[in-house]
Amino acid sequence: MKNMVRTAAPAASVGEDAALAHRRALAGHEYLDRPLALDGEEIPGLRPLIRESWQRSVRLQANPDLPEAPLALDREELEEYRRLHPLATVMPVIHKLLIQPSHDSGLLVAVGDDVGRLLWVEGDPAMQRRAEGMMFVPGADWSEATVGTSAPGTALALGRGLQISGAEHYKRSVHPWSCTAVPFHDPDSGALLGVVDITGTESAVAPHTLSLVEATVAAAQAQLRVERLQLAAAQARTPARWRNNSAAAGAGFASATDSAAPYSGRKRSLYRNSLQLLGRDQALLSIEGRTVALSARHSEILALLSINPEGLSAEELTTLLYPGDGSAITLRAEMVRLRKVIQQLNPAAVPGSRPYKLAVDLVPDSGQVLNCLQRGAHRIALEIYTGAVLPRSEAPGIVELRERVSSLLREAVLTDGSAEALLRYAALPEARDDVGVRRAALKLLPPRSPKRAAVVADLERLETELGASPPAP
């Protein structure tokens, strides 16, 4: 098994007290009131790791004065999402090694997903009640893009374990807290699955705490790999037709019978199957922790099947796939080649025919964006959205999907977005000539904001290139 626990960064150098790190960082917060200084000068006593994280937080427009983290998943969404998440399988290990000892210890244990959303927060009951004041609760978004520097979000951003002490946190409401976090990487593929965090007072950043979390993550990774090997052995003893039926019912994850309640419910989820379509011409398909780059045509086919889980007839898929008059014979040839690609990843995931239908659900990143927009989480949607769906595809069904995702995102940002969200959207390639978004941002920016000059210059460029009206003074 690969060693997926990366070199970690402690809260302070050997012999340095966490309280001293807190005091130095507290003094450094005056620089956040003039963020341009973060790029031009050193902050005395502030660790480079923290300074760089603050710089990223400023660029991402995280607000240090908002007291609470936003809720990204409601209760129903949270329950279903974490039930099917691969980390649910190893929660009994984390519970035994970290959560049980944390009761009445003044510590909390949090487990989050790969984008910083907390899935479980357990431990000392009194500390849980206190943590609710800053929304350190299941379902909340603690990514660096949203709350700035914190152990869970920054560990995910850097891909390694670290400790954050007191005022080293970007958000001022979190200054009474300290935390240690270690990312959880897939033991087979190395893909990032989530993060394990201990939060509390000074004891949460003791040197032994970092070692304890690293050891727990390593034990949980080993357990996940054991579960996968057991599943593979069970599948090898199972007739192929039964394996295909089981995969079709897997809801996007490879799973096995569960005995680890209450964390994972009736099924244990060992892998998450996904399809990355945004900002790329060749999709990335991940099945059971293995990833392959698809051809442009295969990318289109899987994208269309992923958004039509009930399946498509040959005629329907041909119409959605080929501009003008398509050929069912050409489609059948492409499906033969696609099946061979997926066969190498997992035979049980090979699409069926009559109708053409996926044997396992895929989670397309375009679908994640649409789900976020549906619940009003346009900021998270912007984080996920790295570009248009298969931007060069001319397949009618893909063009429709691309325009739908793009237009809904633009509409949400224009309707509910802050100036920062509008500017972030304006930086996308598809928004290069979007006069409306820039004008909306200009209306929301404070009169003395240094960002106004860049927006005005952009609008003047568009006036020259497109003949747009000049911006209002």
Side-chain angles (χ1 to χ4, degrees), residues 2 86 185-193 224 228 252-254 270-274 285-292 345-346 362:
K2 300 176 183 177
H185 291 87
D186 188 292
D188 296 311
S189 69
L192 189 61
L193 292 181
L224 181 57
R228 289 173 174 176
F253 299 83
L270 304 184
Y271 300 94
R272 181 169 55 185
N273 303 328
S274 64
L285 171 66
S286 296
I287 295 180
E288 296 196 1
R290 301 176 64 189
T291 300
V292 63
L345 293 179
N346 177 15
L362 295 178

Side-chain angles (χ1 to χ4, degrees), residues 246-269:
S246 175
F253 299 83
S255 59
T257 305
D258 181 40
S259 60
Y263 292 104
S264 52
R266 190 173 58 85
K267 291 281 187 180
R268 286 184 295 187
S269 306

Side-chain angles (χ1 to χ4, degrees), residues 25-376:
L26 191 62
H29 266 265
E30 65 181 79
Y31 287 79
L32 294 181
D33 297 325
R34 45 190 179 97
L36 291 178
L38 286 176
D39 292 324
E41 54 187 285
E42 293 293 329
I43 302 177
L46 195 67
R47 293 188 287 151
L49 179 151
I50 302 302
R51 180 176 181 272
E52 292 166 4
S53 177
W54 284 10
Q55 289 173 333
R56 290 193 300 273
S57 302
V58 169
R59 288 195 296 268
L60 293 166
Q61 292 94 40
N63 190 335
D65 294 315
L66 286 179
E68 299 178 348
L71 198 65
L73 298 168
D74 63 29
R75 178 172 295 183
E76 183 177 340
E77 290 173 324
L78 173 66
E79 290 298 327
E80 179 68 7
Y81 180 65
R82 67 183 182 182
R83 181 180 70 83
L84 293 173
H85 199 282
L87 291 183
T89 302
V90 297
M91 278 303 294
V93 175
I94 297 172
H95 187 272
K96 181 176 181 179
L97 297 180
L98 287 184
I99 295 174
Q100 284 183 349
S102 72
H103 285 284
D104 303 319
S105 68
L107 295 174
L108 296 176
V109 177
V111 177
D113 69 3
D114 59 321
V115 295
R117 295 173 294 191
L118 303 184
L119 304 184
W120 293 272
V121 180
E122 302 185 31
D124 188 295
M127 296 298 279
Q128 279 187 284
R129 290 190 292 272
R130 281 185 56 195
E132 290 174 358
M134 59 179 180
M135 284 298 288
F136 194 79
V137 297
D141 180 4
W142 277 78
S143 65
E144 194 175 68
T146 300
V147 302
T149 307
S150 74
T154 303
L156 288 171
L158 297 180
R160 60 190 178 99
L162 48 79
Q163 297 181 301
I164 306 293
S165 180
E168 290 183 330
H169 289 95
Y170 185 77
K171 188 180 286 290
R172 293 183 171 98
S173 64
V174 191
H175 288 183
W177 300 81
S178 294
C179 45
T180 295
V182 175
F184 193 110
H185 291 87
D186 188 292
D188 296 311
S189 69
L192 189 61
L193 292 181
V195 64
V196 179
D197 168 89
I198 284 185
T199 290
T201 55
E202 288 82 359
S203 61
V205 290
H208 73 271
T209 306
L210 183 58
S211 300
L212 177 61
V213 180
E214 289 177 332
T216 300
V217 168
Q221 289 170 328
Q223 180 62 30
L224 181 57
R225 194 151 195 258
V226 167
E227 297 276 355
R228 289 173 174 176
L229 291 172
Q230 291 175 340
L231 175 61
Q235 289 178 334
R237 297 191 298 269
T238 304
R241 64 181 183 276
W242 293 3
R243 293 200 301 271
N244 288 335
N245 290 338
S246 175
F253 299 83
S255 59
T257 305
D258 181 40
S259 60
Y263 292 104
S264 52
R266 190 173 58 85
K267 291 281 187 180
R268 286 184 295 187
S269 306
L270 304 184
Y271 300 94
R272 181 169 55 185
N273 303 328
S274 64
L275 187 64
Q276 298 178 44
L277 304 169
L278 296 172
R280 58 177 69 247
D281 296 314
Q282 293 181 286
L284 291 181
L285 171 66
S286 296
I287 295 180
E288 296 196 1
R290 301 176 64 189
T291 300
V292 63
L294 301 172
S295 70
R297 185 65 77 195
H298 292 169
S299 300
E300 294 167 341
I301 292 172
L302 282 187
L304 293 169
L305 293 180
S306 72
I307 61 175
N308 293 279
E310 71 285 355
L312 294 167
S313 68
E315 293 75 14
E316 290 171 331
L317 185 53
T318 298
T319 300
L320 293 172
L321 191 60
Y322 298 105
D325 295 329
S327 167
I329 296 176
T330 303
L331 173 62
R332 283 197 291 271
E334 289 289 356
M335 289 301 299
V336 169
R337 288 189 283 268
L338 176 59
R339 288 189 178 107
K340 290 180 179 178
V341 172
I342 298 179
Q343 175 85 17
Q344 295 176 353
L345 293 179
N346 177 15
V350 173
S353 58
R354 297 182 183 179
Y356 290 119
K357 184 177 181 180
L358 295 176
V360 296
D361 288 344
L362 295 178
V363 181
D365 48 7
S366 58
Q368 291 179 303
V369 171
L370 292 174
N371 289 337
C372 288
L373 294 176
Q374 188 174 21
R375 64 173 186 263

Side-chain angles (χ1 to χ4, degrees), residues 11 20 54 76 99 130 140 148 153 157 183 194 218 389 411 413 420 446 448 468:
L20 177 59
W54 284 10
E76 183 177 340
I99 295 174
R130 281 185 56 195
V389 175
E411 180 183 352
V413 172
E420 289 76 13
R448 296 183 178 275

